[in-house]
Amino acid sequence: MTQSPTGSTPAEAEAFLAAHPEIEAFDIVLTDANGIGRGKIIRRHELLGLYSGGRHLPISILGLDICGEDVHETGLIWDQGDGDLRAWPIPGSLKPMHGTNPPRGELLMSMYHLDGAEMTSDPRHALVRQVQAMAAEGLYPAAAFELEFFLLDPKLDDQGYARPAAAVLDGRRSDKTEVYSVDHLHGMEPLFSDIYRAAEQMGIRAETVISEYAPGQYELTLHYRTDVLAAADDLVRLKRIVRLQARRHGVTACFMAKPVEKYAGSGMHFHVSLLDDAGRNVFAEAKEGVWNDPIRHAIGGLRQTMGESMLVFAPHANSWRRFASQSYAPVSPSWGVNNRSVALRIPAGPVAARRVEHRPSGVDANPYLVAATILAGVRKGLAERIDPGPETTGNGYEGEAESLPIPGDWREAIRAATDSVFLREALGPDMHRTFCAIKAAEYARVARTIADVDYDLYLHTV
């Protein structure tokens, strides 16, 4: 196989090298089931060869747990002899990185078998399949993610807890919830300026930044994309940008779903609408506020599939600490209009921009798997004309016991996902097996670990 199955060509690399003679090396990044970038740093002279023939990477790179250790239950390690597959460049993803010394570029990759067939435990392929299935139905998803995160001090406090980072501008520290404070943002202005510059170099339109609902918590929004794959790529790259630029300014960017027990966690809300062949938004109602069948059925499908899909939206042990009443994280598959206490929100705004905001996902989730699962839920709702049930008004945290409950904890979510026919079809059987096996291995690691709270509660009492 010498022709790239992604459609990338050596001409792209040649043009980039000519335009950027200063760049000496490249990060080549493949996103695994946990959303972690795996790959290598290659030298400038290796780039053309990568575009001409791909790059061999071991199959096991897609069967790793959160710590980067093999999960044999995925079937991707010794069952396959840990042989090499071939990663190929994603067209248009070759970009310069901001602030690196010596200068480096970044290239996103996707995994294929040696004969050019898709390696279907690659999360990006799961999203490609859903986008293609929608296109066959004459529908084209447009989307954007929101990125919430904490900026923390690299050192824990005297009690061993995370604490907000001091302002990089003048070293001032605040332990207050400075929600929507513009003046508070000024203390991180040098860092955010670098984030915006880095995003611009990557072709990412990072937009509004706000101080969020916890000390040290922030949110960056991304420009709405008519290409949902590009929207997921944006999120993957923006997390890498934020982490790298934060390190350069001496602070830690934290993408745990719940790093501080007293405050709200960090979400990764996904806004999605559907366009038809003429580019019209099929969710847009004819009369404002009178919801049409497509948006109602889409919400119905998302509600019906949410419980069995929660492992995708909350994939780690820490993810489940985010769900609590009145925490701005949804605790049931509710839907509503202009209401932040529900899981599925129709935001206020112009009819032409009508969309569904999917709110359950934590910022620790894999955006490719999140988007693939949501699109599959939308497709199911449209195909089966699923009624969403009554709208939730007022406090969505009241009346949490519903006919469509979500799992109560991580273990239950793993069981529900493993048994889910819907999720197997949404992700594809290989990606489903790989993801569930990795999560089960992670659960076993956490379950056998003795936490400090165990000693605190039981050491001298039982």
Side-chain angles (χ1 to χ4, degrees), residues 338-419:
N338 195 23
N339 186 337
R340 286 183 170 84
S341 68
V342 299
L344 302 166
R345 171 179 175 247
I346 300 178
V351 170
R354 191 64 69 218
R355 63 195 185 276
V356 176
E357 180 187 8
H358 187 277
R359 297 173 58 81
S361 297
V363 73
D364 55 343
N366 182 321
Y368 298 115
L369 299 185
V370 167
T373 303
I374 291 170
L375 294 187
V378 168
R379 289 180 57 229
K380 180 180 177 67
L382 295 176
E384 300 178 14
R385 300 183 64 82
I386 298 173
D387 190 296
E391 172 194 346
T392 296
T393 58
N395 187 353
Y397 295 110
E398 296 178 351
E400 294 171 9
E402 292 205 11
S403 59
L404 296 170
I406 64 174
D409 58 30
W410 190 31
R411 183 181 184 184
E412 187 181 339
I414 293 172
R415 184 182 298 115
T418 302
D419 295 341

Side-chain angles (χ1 to χ4, degrees), residues 30-33 59 61-63 74-76 80 85-86 110-130 132 366 368-369 372 423-436 438:
L30 178 79
T31 301
D32 73 3
I59 191 173
I61 200 172
L62 293 173
T74 62
L76 300 179
Q80 308 277 346
L85 298 184
R86 192 171 288 167
S110 195
M111 189 78 93
Y112 291 80
H113 292 282
L114 298 181
D115 63 0
E118 293 178 355
M119 199 293 163
T120 46
S121 288
D122 180 334
R124 199 173 190 275
H125 289 316
L127 180 52
V128 170
R129 287 179 57 252
Q130 289 301 326
Q132 291 174 340
N366 182 321
Y368 298 115
L369 299 185
L423 198 59
R424 187 175 297 113
E425 293 174 349
L427 303 182
D430 292 337
M431 186 71 252
H432 176 263
R433 181 195 67 248
T434 299
F435 180 69
C436 291
I438 288 171

